[in-house]
Amino acid sequence: MGPHGRGVVDYFGINPRDVDILMGTFTKSFGASGGYIAGSRTLVSRLRLRNHGGPCAEAIAPPVLTQIIASMGSIMGISSEDESSPEFVEFPSRAPASALPAWMDLPASLRDGSEGRERLRRLAFNARYLSRALVKLGFITEGHDDSPIVLLMLFNPGKMCLFSRMMLERKVPIAVVVVGYPATPLVTSRVRFCLSAAHTKDDIDELLRACDEIGTRLDLKHGLPKGERWSLEEVSERAVELVREG
């Protein structure tokens, strides 16, 4: 999220130095595994000492770590040697060249951040399009329009397995994550769609078609009266308008 892909603080224009504790995941965001907690040196040192995950858990595997560094470098861009001085601390700044391992030679499109910026634009489009399209089709969603994690509410826990199985049994199988009790209150079961920059508009249109058909069969469309809903064709044709509105 955010114009520079730096997450919630970037999205709301907050300097990360004004936040005591930052945390996030490397799975959905970076296509890797694990997560992070960032903060002051005192906080991080204390967590390393007291958190069981520090002394007891295994370290991140080198290939996974390489993926994380490459993804982060792509999003941030890599600075020149001249910009790597301690004085270069503006936010958002590029990653210093010294932060990369000596053996890692990133392609030019990753080092200058151009590929990362293009991926951020595609991801922003995908997130807004899917979230707003589901609403126009009549579904009830939760979460922020700009979040790449889109939640479609099922409510009835008995519909979770049905929705997942019907998605998998389609001509183009779609694997979805359904979430229910005890991760959520009993009657707020939901489907979680995780988008990436690699998804195309055709991919999302295929997902919307499946949701539209299955949602009708399972009676999931309670967000809008029938007369106010858009057709699937109208949603697809007005995708750019949907993304830009608001």
Side-chain angles (χ1 to χ4, degrees), residues 17-69:
R17 293 181 182 275
D18 296 330
V19 181
D20 293 330
I21 302 175
L22 295 167
M23 63 180 294
T25 175
F26 290 135
T27 52
K28 305 176 186 68
S29 305
F30 296 91
S33 66
Y36 67 88
I37 295 178
S40 66
R41 185 180 297 274
T42 301
L43 170 70
V44 173
S45 297
R46 186 67 174 177
L47 287 175
R48 284 174 172 164
L49 178 66
R50 303 293 296 179
N51 179 31
H52 293 297
C56 300
E58 295 181 355
I60 296 177
V64 177
L65 188 60
T66 301
Q67 166 69 11
I68 294 170
I69 295 173

Side-chain angles (χ1 to χ4, degrees), residues 35-237:
Y36 67 88
I37 295 178
S40 66
R41 185 180 297 274
T42 301
L43 170 70
V44 173
S45 297
R46 186 67 174 177
L47 287 175
R48 284 174 172 164
L49 178 66
R50 303 293 296 179
N51 179 31
H52 293 297
C56 300
E58 295 181 355
I60 296 177
V64 177
L65 188 60
T66 301
Q67 166 69 11
I68 294 170
I69 295 173
S71 297
M72 193 170 291
S74 170
I75 293 173
M76 298 178 67
I78 308 300
S79 68
S80 66
E81 293 296 337
D82 294 336
E83 293 174 329
S84 299
S85 62
E87 290 78 18
F88 188 73
V89 292
E90 295 181 3
F91 175 81
S93 63
R94 294 189 175 197
S98 58
L100 288 182
W103 48 264
M104 181 176 284
D105 185 21
L106 293 179
S109 61
L110 295 185
R111 294 186 71 90
D112 64 15
S114 59
E115 182 174 328
R117 289 190 294 273
E118 176 60 28
R119 287 178 179 269
L120 289 173
R121 285 192 290 268
R122 292 204 304 265
L123 182 58
F125 175 90
N126 290 346
R128 283 193 175 194
Y129 179 41
L130 178 59
S131 178
R132 294 177 178 183
L134 287 171
V135 171
K136 291 298 185 182
L137 290 174
F139 293 99
I140 298 175
T141 64
E142 292 287 346
H144 200 286
D145 282 357
D146 291 327
S147 171
I149 311 300
V150 181
L151 304 176
L152 187 157
M153 302 305 294
L154 301 178
F155 297 105
N156 187 336
K159 296 181 180 181
M160 288 194 303
C161 291
L162 279 173
F163 189 95
S164 177
R165 183 170 297 177
M166 292 170 76
M167 280 287 197
L168 280 175
E169 291 176 348
R170 293 182 62 82
K171 183 177 180 180
V172 178
I174 300 174
V176 299
V177 177
V178 289
V179 185
Y181 182 84
T184 70
L186 185 61
V187 292
T188 59
S189 301
R190 61 199 67 187
V191 184
R192 186 176 68 192
F193 301 113
C194 302
L195 294 165
S196 81
H199 289 119
T200 65
K201 180 178 179 297
D202 288 340
D203 293 332
I204 298 177
D205 285 341
E206 182 65 34
L207 174 60
L208 289 171
R209 186 176 299 107
C211 288
D212 187 52
E213 294 173 5
I214 295 174
T216 299
R217 293 175 64 183
L218 296 183
D219 190 26
L220 300 176
K221 299 179 181 181
H222 299 284
L224 290 174
K226 285 186 177 181
E228 297 179 17
R229 299 174 194 168
W230 289 14
S231 67
L232 195 61
E233 292 73 20
E234 185 178 9
V235 165
S236 181
E237 291 173 1

